[in-house]
């Protein structure tokens, strides 16, 4: 019997499957997962791969439904004993949200690793092959088991909960500003730095794949119009996330509209618009985080706005009290 690990690759689209077309100075979808794998020397010596294509889309075209579908398909494959891990190839634009959605809804202890590329095939700094090879290495490592959904880019291993795309074109775009990476791919070794629970393991696989929609995300800014919040309420949204200032503070007029939203039974979660840190019940002036909490708004802790939104959608879809979920 072969002792090669068997990994299933979900190939879904994105730059990793695109070519740079010099004549047009543009990047266009051009490839399938298998074309890339053939270019990685010696791959079939250490891993056995099955590629599936649940959909092929640039990642800005994806929806929450695609994430739930992917989560279900991964679970089906990994429930089969022969598969020891999964790798997802996808566009980087929405990768952090898809990875988090899968983290929250997937029940498995086997490694699940998302990767993509910041530079397409044919660009000088193309990171496609390196990222796929590294993701496969992590997915076939026993130490990656039970850590929740992972994201591997630029030789680093991140947890789905805190990872974020922080640059529009750098190969070092993916970072976890709150805690840093969980580990690294160093030569042919996968090294985890820490066993500390940075990966939000309590939430791993916590939710059934049911969401309530629409849940809106707004970002606070200087002079934000409070009428925006009222308009959102009048359109019949089921929940709202606001990326507030600093430690979770809003202009009093915006805070007042958000409180009206809560009085109408629509949950409002406050995240910070800072790239790290938490929304806290700290400031007790009008619109401050402490006052928002007292008015019934939910503080989202250290989760980013986009991830608070996904969690709120799932909490509501699972008929759970959102106050107990954050
Ligand atoms: N716009 C592309 C996408 O998300 C970027 C990428 O793949 O990295 O599909």
């Amino acid at each position: 019997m072969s002792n090669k690990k068997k990994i299933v690759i979900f190939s879904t689209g994105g730059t990793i499957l695109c070519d740079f077309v010099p004549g047009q100075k543009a990047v266009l979808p051009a490839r399938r997962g298998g074309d890339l794998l053939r270019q990685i020397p010696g791959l079939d010596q250490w891993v056995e791969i099955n590629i599936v294509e649940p959909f092929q889309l640039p990642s800005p075209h994806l929806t929450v439904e695609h994430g739930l579908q992917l989560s279900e398909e991964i679970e089906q494959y990994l429930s089969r004993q022969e598969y020891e891990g999964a790798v997802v190839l996808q566009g980087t634009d929405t990768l952090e949200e898809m990875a988090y959605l899968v983290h929250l809804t997937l029940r498995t202890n086997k490694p699940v690793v998302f990767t993509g590329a910041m530079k397409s095939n044919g660009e000088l700094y193309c990171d496609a092959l390196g990222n796929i090879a590294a993701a496969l290495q992590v997915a076939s490592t026993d130490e990656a088991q039970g850590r929740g959904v992972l994201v591997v880019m630029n030789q680093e291993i991140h947890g789905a909960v805190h990872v974020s795309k922080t640059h529009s074109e750098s190969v070092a775009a993916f970072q976890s500003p709150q805690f840093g990476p969980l580990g690294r791919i160093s030569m042919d070794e996968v090294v985890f730095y820490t066993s500390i629970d940075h990966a939000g393991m309590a939430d791993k696989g916590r939710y059934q794949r049911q969401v309530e929609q629409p849940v809106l995300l707004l970002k606070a800014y200087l002079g934000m119009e409070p009428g925006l919040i009222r308009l959102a309420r009048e359109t019949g949204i089921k929940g709202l996330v606001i990326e507030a200032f600093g430690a979770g503070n809003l202009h009093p007029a915006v805070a007042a509209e958000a409180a009206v939203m809560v009085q109408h039974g629509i949950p409002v979660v406050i995240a910070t618009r800072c790239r790290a840190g938490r929304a806290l019940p700290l400031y007790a002036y009008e619109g401050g985080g402490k006052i928002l909490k007292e008015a019934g708004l939910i503080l989202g802790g250290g989760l980013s706005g986009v991830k608070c939104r996904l969690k709120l959608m799932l909490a509501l879809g699972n008929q759970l009290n959102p106050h107990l979920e954050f």
Side-chain angles (χ1 to χ4, degrees):
M1 209 179 86
S2 146
N3 55 5
K4 284 194 263 180
K5 298 252 182 167
K6 188 163 178 181
I7 304 292
V8 53
I9 296 186
F10 293 84
S11 173
T12 75
T15 297
I16 196 158
L17 299 174
C18 287
D19 280 358
F20 179 71
V21 185
Q24 294 179 37
K25 279 202 170 172
V27 172
L28 287 167
R31 296 181 180 232
R32 311 190 84 97
D35 305 340
L36 291 175
L37 295 173
R38 278 190 281 283
Q39 295 176 51
I40 303 176
L43 193 65
D44 55 359
Q45 316 273 299
W46 56 275
V47 73
E48 199 184 327
I49 289 164
N50 181 15
I51 305 182
V52 291
E53 293 185 1
F55 37 82
Q56 283 296 319
L57 289 168
S59 83
H61 297 193
L62 298 177
T63 62
V64 169
E65 283 69 26
H66 286 110
L68 297 178
Q69 177 195 334
L70 185 61
S71 165
E72 189 159 352
E73 289 190 28
I74 297 173
E75 194 163 293
Q76 277 166 13
Y77 271 91
L78 294 189
S79 66
R80 288 155 60 179
Q81 210 187 347
E82 62 195 286
Y83 289 104
E84 301 193 62
V87 166
V88 179
L89 310 181
Q90 84 144 79
T92 55
D93 287 351
T94 59
L95 192 148
E96 69 202 69
E97 286 169 84
M98 290 285 279
Y100 184 58
L101 191 52
V102 172
H103 175 81
L104 292 178
T105 55
L106 174 67
R107 280 159 291 272
T108 183
N109 265 337
K110 295 180 181 175
V112 176
V113 182
F114 277 65
T115 195
M118 292 300 297
K119 303 284 181 192
S120 59
N121 302 282
E123 286 186 90
L124 263 187
Y125 297 100
C126 177
D127 51 344
L129 295 185
N131 285 347
I132 297 183
L136 284 166
Q137 257 179 285
V138 174
S140 37
T141 302
D142 290 343
E143 246 206 296
Q145 286 175 12
R147 290 180 181 266
V149 172
L150 300 172
V151 173
V152 167
M153 296 285 293
N154 195 36
Q155 287 183 269
E156 289 183 345
I157 308 166
H158 296 265
V161 179
H162 292 296
V163 73
S164 178
K165 180 173 178 177
T166 65
H167 197 286
S168 65
E169 57 164 352
S170 164
V171 294
F174 279 76
Q175 293 178 21
S176 301
Q178 202 82 277
F179 297 115
L182 300 177
R184 186 170 182 80
I185 296 90
S186 184
M187 296 183 65
D188 57 358
E189 236 190 305
V190 174
V191 182
F192 281 95
Y193 300 144
T194 172
S195 56
I196 302 168
D197 176 17
H198 287 158
M201 296 301 285
D203 285 339
K204 177 177 159 279
R206 180 167 159 63
Y207 300 99
Q208 302 297 325
R209 297 182 187 93
Q210 294 149 3
V211 289
E212 184 71 278
Q213 307 198 51
V215 171
L216 212 71
L217 170 63
L218 294 174
K219 183 172 189 160
Y221 49 85
L222 197 66
M224 184 180 195
E225 298 78 6
L228 253 186
I229 312 260
R230 189 177 55 249
L231 265 180
R233 172 167 55 78
E234 287 167 358
T235 62
I237 60 166
K238 299 295 191 313
L240 173 67
V241 177
I242 307 175
E243 281 186 12
F245 300 114
N249 310 310
L250 292 172
H251 184 281
V254 174
E257 279 297 345
V260 173
M261 183 92 87
V262 173
Q263 284 151 22
H264 278 76
I266 304 164
V268 180
V269 176
I270 298 294
T272 172
R273 69 173 202 174
C274 299
R275 60 197 283 273
R278 294 193 300 147
L280 299 164
L282 180 62
Y283 287 89
Y285 53 68
E286 248 192 297
K290 192 173 173 62
I291 303 298
L292 296 180
K293 189 165 183 210
E294 284 166 11
L297 282 77
I298 299 163
L299 301 182
L303 270 186
S304 67
V306 289
K307 292 182 186 175
C308 282
R309 173 179 168 269
L310 292 172
K311 194 171 181 187
L312 181 57
M313 290 172 88
L314 284 165
L316 294 173
N318 281 255
Q319 279 90 43
L320 295 166
N321 177 353
H323 285 270
L324 304 177
E325 297 303 300
F326 287 89

